[in-house]
Amino acid sequence: MNSEIKLRKAEIEDRDIIWNILQQAIERRRKDGSTQWQQGYPNLDTVESDIAKGFGYVMTVDGEIAVYAALILNDEPAYSTIEGAWLSNGEFVVVHRVAVDEKFAGQGMVKKLFDHIEEFTKSHGIQSVKVDTNYDNIAMLKILESKGYSYCGEVFLAGGMRKAFEKIII
């Protein structure tokens, strides 16, 4: 049976569900021994800000929120200083705060999310997708590699150095 999977802007009514998903992800990162997301970020204010600015997106499976991500167009100040080099200097979509509801964990949801993000990027005539992650976020590093993202170097973000990746879409 095929599920209906959609990417849509998050609404303020989604806030508590999103925050619950992020809390699950924060706890998973902690259990994995990661330092990522262990210093009070992201938090509920982050979710509310994402939604208010139009950055918050949810991927739904048959209408149920499965994944949260922030998609930001052309705006990540930390990305202006990279130890390395981006593949492009054109317009880009930044992907931050990817979190999967534990009910949907292990089902390839983040790969599907990146498919939707890449389609969104292409349909808006935007050149590339840029993303960063912690050195110890092995799951995300594997996903980025499998989706064809190129390692571009390091950026300083959220109090630490992060691995930065880019994929040219158009």
Side-chain angles (χ1 to χ4, degrees):
M1 180 178 147
N2 283 344
S3 298
E4 183 181 41
I5 298 176
K6 290 184 176 177
L7 183 69
R8 67 166 172 83
K9 274 197 175 186
E11 307 286 337
I12 196 62
E13 297 80 27
D14 301 326
R15 180 191 66 186
D16 293 340
I17 296 169
I18 293 165
W19 177 229
N20 185 48
I21 291 170
L22 278 166
Q23 286 177 303
Q24 293 171 14
I26 290 165
E27 179 61 14
R28 275 198 303 274
R29 301 296 300 131
R30 186 190 68 75
K31 284 182 178 172
D32 289 345
S34 176
T35 58
Q36 187 177 7
W37 291 1
Q38 301 305 304
Q39 284 80 38
Y41 163 89
N43 54 46
L44 189 55
D45 290 344
T46 311
V47 174
E48 290 173 347
S49 175
D50 283 349
I51 294 170
K53 292 176 180 174
F55 298 159
Y57 280 80
V58 292
M59 190 174 78
T60 60
V61 177
D62 295 329
E64 185 177 356
I65 296 173
V67 183
Y68 176 73
L71 304 181
I72 306 164
L73 301 181
N74 300 316
D75 186 27
E76 176 46 78
Y79 286 8
S80 63
T81 307
I82 183 171
E83 289 183 20
W86 294 109
L87 301 178
S88 70
N89 294 314
E91 289 196 320
F92 58 94
V93 172
V94 178
V95 183
H96 279 321
R97 297 182 279 289
V98 175
V100 180
D101 187 307
E102 57 195 17
K103 176 181 173 186
F104 294 94
Q107 299 178 30
M109 287 295 150
V110 176
K111 286 183 180 179
K112 290 182 176 92
L113 172 72
F114 273 94
D115 291 342
H116 282 273
I117 291 169
E118 291 169 18
E119 189 53 46
F120 170 91
T121 301
K122 193 178 208 174
S123 71
H124 286 79
I126 298 168
Q127 186 177 16
S128 73
V129 177
K130 294 180 180 180
V131 60
D132 66 86
T133 194
N134 222 50
Y135 286 90
D136 59 10
N137 192 338
I138 303 304
M140 182 60 85
L141 291 169
K142 285 181 178 175
I143 288 165
L144 293 171
E145 181 182 350
S146 75
K147 297 299 294 172
Y149 283 73
S150 297
Y151 174 69
C152 296
E154 299 177 340
V155 294
F156 187 80
L157 192 75
M161 293 307 283
R162 315 273 297 224
K163 287 187 163 197
F165 297 83
E166 182 175 16
K167 183 175 181 179
I168 304 295
I169 303 299
I170 57 172

